[in-house]
């Protein structure tokens, strides 16, 4: 589960290179970062079908096809543990913001929001915020069950693999007529049945977003009752916590309590401390999380930016030094502009401008760079983009997260070695989310691979121009099939639904 410094694959040997049939593809002379966190080493990697079959000394393997990787790093494909890609996967499935970064697996259904589990019905109007982050019209909320969603995705696969969480807010919207209160016993039973369906279909856990209105009225007891359905199924509780500002410690404690009460692992999503008054408090939160890890399974992820992004809400204005509008249904021309500037232009207060722009999304500058770095560098922190693929002017994390960790934080700032950066986006998340055969380069592992230039890899997406493929990503392969090569998507769709282990 953890990095074993110095460990090398036992099979990293050229001894029998000539004794086996020619592999379909050989990536030769690569600098291999195997995802475990162990030191890099030079080698050849053979791929047959959807698997890595051999690792050998550089220049020793011959294959039907070959890629000369001299000067390039070869890593397991990156696992984006925090996404809102539910719709992008079934809406064309090209996944360009992800494959262009080297991401080969995404975990969708985060923050309490899953596309599956709610059938709004075409033309019946939009779902409540923040479910509109996936689709404001409601038309895409057309999968009443996870089985129905998985069937649709498997009929038309996407470019990346995906694993799924069932969203608590989605289930509430489906089961309750009034979201501003606790669920009744009958409503809880309905949601429990929906969780059972999702877990049987192959979901890997439950996500909550108690920060947001559709779930804010859910008491801890409701969350525990629902999460008990995960105990036997081996599911995870993944949460956008109630509070990431003043009351962050009680929010962490609530998350830990749910994990202990149900005997399940918990994941704290996009860990941050928001608001000027809380800058520096990652020292406290990481201490609390690190203490808890000695007693129960706890994981966390983070995106590498000091600005957050979600629906536009006046609540977040006082915490932010600057607010950018990401999208607005009545005012699409405001996407990408400063809220202060829009309000000044209209001659109204920022709060009044927020009202006029609804429904809308925004980017909030509300964190301290030192907290971001402290959280990123915490050994157990995984990388998740939290990108919002349907925003008109999205947060640059959608296109830039992984190359930014590799190029900016690891190489340029030296926050941690490249081996550690890769581990945080491969071996560590595969272990925490139970993705067997992913996140490592070793014989028998799936050939989810990314070949990149460690000297030049960097994010290109900025707050001003957020839709930009990163630099330095050479070739990306999902289940042995190239999805990104020479700066463009290949158009292939080899992605699979990664179901919870032990299920068909
Ligand atoms: Zn969230
Ligand atoms: Cu999220």
């Amino acid at each position: 589960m953890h990095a074993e410094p110095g460990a090398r694959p036992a099979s990293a040997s050229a001894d029998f290179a000539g004794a086996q049939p020619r592999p379909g593809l050989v990536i030769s002379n690569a600098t291999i970062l195997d995802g475990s966190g162990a030191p890099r080493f030079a080698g050849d990697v053979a791929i047959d079908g959807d698997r890595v079959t051999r690792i050998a000394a550089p220049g020793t393997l011959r294959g039907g096809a070959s890629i000369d990787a001299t000067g390039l790093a070869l890593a397991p494909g990156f696992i984006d543990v925090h996404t809102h890609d539910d719709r992008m996967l079934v809406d064309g499935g090209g996944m360009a913001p992800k494959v262009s970064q080297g991401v080969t697996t995404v975990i969708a259904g985060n923050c309490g929001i899953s596309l599956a589990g709610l059938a709004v019905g075409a033309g019946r109007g939009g779902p409540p915020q923040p479910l509109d982050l996936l689709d404001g019209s409601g038309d895409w909320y057309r999968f009443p069950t996870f089985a129905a969603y998985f069937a649709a995705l498997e009929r038309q696969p996407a470019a990346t693999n995906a694993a799924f969480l069932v969203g608590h807010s989605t289930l509430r919207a489906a089961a309750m007529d009034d979201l501003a209160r606790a669920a009744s016993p009958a409503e809880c039973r309905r949601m429990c049945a929906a969780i059972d369906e999702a877990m049987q279909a192959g979901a890997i856990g439950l996500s909550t977003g108690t920060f947001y209105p559709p779930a804010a009225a859910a008491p801890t007891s409701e969350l525990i009752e629902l999460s008990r359905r995960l105990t036997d199924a081996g599911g995870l509780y993944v949460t956008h916590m109630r509070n990431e500002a003043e009351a962050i410690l009680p929010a962490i404690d609530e998350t830990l309590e749910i994990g202990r009460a149900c005997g399940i692992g918990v994941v704290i999503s996009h860990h941050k401390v928001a608001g000027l008054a809380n800058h520096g408090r990652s020292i406290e939160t990481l201490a609390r999380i690190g203490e808890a890890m000695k007693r129960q399974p706890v994981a966390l992820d983070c995106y590498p930016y000091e600005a957050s992004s979600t629906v536009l809400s006046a609540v977040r204005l006082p915490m932010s030094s600057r607010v950018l509008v990401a999208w607005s249904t009545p005012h699409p021309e405001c996407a990408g502009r400063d809220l202060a500037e829009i309000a000044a232009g209209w001659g109204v207060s920022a709060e009044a401008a927020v009202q006029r722009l609804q429904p809308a999304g925004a980017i909030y500058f509300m964190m301290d760079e030192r907290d971001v770095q402290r959280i990123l560098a915490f050994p157990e922190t995984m990388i998740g983009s939290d990108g919002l693929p349907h925003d008109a002017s999205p947060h640059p994390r959608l296109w830039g997260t992984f190359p930014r960790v590799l190029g900016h934080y690891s190489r340029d700032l030296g926050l941690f070695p490249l081996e550690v950066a890769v581990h945080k986006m491969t071996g560590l998340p595969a272990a925490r989310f139970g993705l067997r055969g992913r996140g490592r380069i070793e014989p028998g592992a799936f050939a989810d691979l990314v070949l990149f230039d460690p000297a030049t890899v960097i994010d290109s997406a900025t707050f001003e121009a957020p839709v930009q493929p990163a630099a330095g990503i050479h070739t990306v392969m999902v289940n042995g099939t190239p999805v990104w090569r020479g700066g463009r998507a290949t158009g292939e769709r080899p992605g699979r639904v990664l179901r919870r282990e032990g299920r068909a």
Side-chain angles (χ1 to χ4, degrees):
M1 303 265 282
H2 292 269
E4 299 148 38
R8 285 176 56 149
S11 50
S13 145
D15 294 344
F16 49 89
Q20 293 184 10
R22 259 163 100 92
L25 173 69
V26 167
I27 300 175
S28 53
N29 303 306
T31 298
I32 299 171
L33 296 124
D34 69 4
S36 71
R40 65 193 84 180
F41 59 95
D44 288 3
V45 171
I47 296 151
D48 272 300
D50 64 355
R51 307 276 179 157
V52 168
T53 48
R54 271 188 279 170
I55 303 171
T60 59
L61 293 182
R62 298 283 172 270
S66 64
I67 298 175
D68 179 13
T70 303
L72 299 175
L74 183 68
F78 305 141
I79 299 169
D80 189 346
V81 298
H82 189 103
T83 84
H84 296 283
D85 292 345
D86 308 47
R87 175 178 149 200
M88 185 161 60
L89 285 159
V90 291
D91 187 1
M95 306 294 284
K98 301 301 161 92
V99 296
S100 61
Q101 294 183 59
V103 169
T104 57
T105 294
V106 300
I107 293 171
N110 278 284
C111 296
I113 311 163
S114 57
L115 195 61
L118 170 68
V120 171
R124 283 203 36 217
Q129 272 192 347
L131 272 59
D132 59 353
L133 289 176
L134 295 185
D135 172 34
S137 74
D139 295 355
W140 274 101
Y141 282 93
R142 58 171 81 145
F143 305 101
T145 62
F146 273 70
Y149 177 87
F150 289 166
L153 180 52
E154 288 179 331
R155 255 194 318 273
Q156 280 191 295
T160 67
N161 303 309
F164 295 87
L165 301 163
V166 52
H168 174 232
S169 294
T170 296
L171 298 188
R172 284 190 126 230
M176 299 173 67
D177 53 8
D178 176 9
L179 300 176
R181 56 169 173 79
S184 70
E187 289 161 344
C188 272
R189 276 196 298 279
R190 229 173 290 160
M191 289 193 276
C192 284
I195 293 169
D196 289 348
E197 187 279 330
M199 296 306 291
Q200 268 153 27
I204 61 167
L206 175 71
S207 82
T208 64
T210 42
F211 167 80
Y212 295 108
T220 309
S221 57
E222 177 182 322
L223 304 175
I224 289 176
E225 188 176 343
L226 300 184
S227 298
R228 282 200 205 288
R229 309 310 301 172
L230 305 173
T231 308
D232 290 341
L236 288 168
Y237 176 83
V238 181
T239 182
H240 179 161
M241 299 188 298
R242 241 177 246 289
N243 194 294
E244 296 176 308
E246 276 73 11
I248 191 165
L249 289 177
I252 291 173
D253 289 344
E254 181 190 39
T255 303
L256 299 172
E257 180 191 346
I258 292 163
R260 285 195 307 272
C262 303
I264 56 177
V266 301
V267 180
I268 295 172
S269 294
H270 45 59
H271 184 44
K272 66 172 90 64
V273 279
L276 200 57
N278 300 300
H279 286 185
R281 292 189 61 202
S282 59
I283 294 173
E284 295 166 55
T285 61
L286 292 174
R288 183 74 56 103
I289 292 166
E291 242 340 277
M293 280 171 173
K294 296 176 189 160
R295 299 186 301 268
Q296 66 185 100
V298 185
L300 72 160
D301 61 77
C302 174
Y303 51 78
Y305 296 88
E306 54 188 315
S308 66
S309 182
T310 182
V311 288
L312 178 61
S313 154
V315 177
R316 290 195 159 195
L317 300 188
M319 283 189 221
S320 308
S321 57
R322 183 187 172 202
V323 177
L324 278 173
V325 174
W327 59 275
S328 163
T329 302
H331 292 285
E333 75 283 2
C334 290
R337 293 180 54 203
D338 254 276
L339 179 70
E341 193 187 293
I342 295 165
W346 288 346
V348 301
S349 67
E351 288 73 16
V354 166
Q355 278 309 317
R356 279 199 208 177
L357 289 161
Q358 296 295 338
I363 294 163
Y364 305 89
F365 291 80
M366 58 188 339
M367 290 171 245
D368 180 2
E369 175 64 22
R370 280 165 299 186
D371 285 316
V372 173
Q373 293 190 19
R374 197 176 290 122
I375 293 168
L376 276 176
F378 186 66
E380 285 288 325
T381 302
M382 306 177 284
I383 309 302
S385 72
D386 203 10
L388 298 169
H390 313 295
D391 285 13
S393 185
H395 189 301
R397 68 195 184 192
L398 175 65
W399 287 83
T401 289
F402 292 82
R404 184 169 169 81
V405 171
L406 298 169
H408 177 64
Y409 284 108
S410 173
R411 181 191 60 225
D412 296 347
L413 298 189
L415 196 57
F416 33 69
L418 190 60
E419 286 84 348
V420 170
V422 167
H423 177 61
K424 285 172 172 292
M425 38 185 90
T426 58
L428 181 64
R432 294 294 170 266
F433 283 89
L435 306 176
R436 193 184 285 173
R438 313 280 169 184
R440 290 287 190 103
I441 298 179
E442 58 192 8
F446 289 99
D448 291 347
L449 297 165
V450 52
L451 196 56
F452 65 96
D453 184 343
T456 62
V457 67
I458 197 72
D459 54 308
S460 310
T462 62
F463 289 98
E464 292 71 32
V467 178
Q468 307 279 351
I473 303 292
H474 188 281
T475 299
V476 183
M477 219 173 265
V478 173
N479 298 311
T481 299
V483 293
W484 183 266
R485 195 166 41 198
R488 37 192 312 189
T490 63
E492 299 286 345
R493 303 280 194 277
R496 295 180 191 165
V497 175
L498 306 186
R499 290 179 168 84
R500 186 173 49 85
E501 278 179 29
R503 290 278 161 186

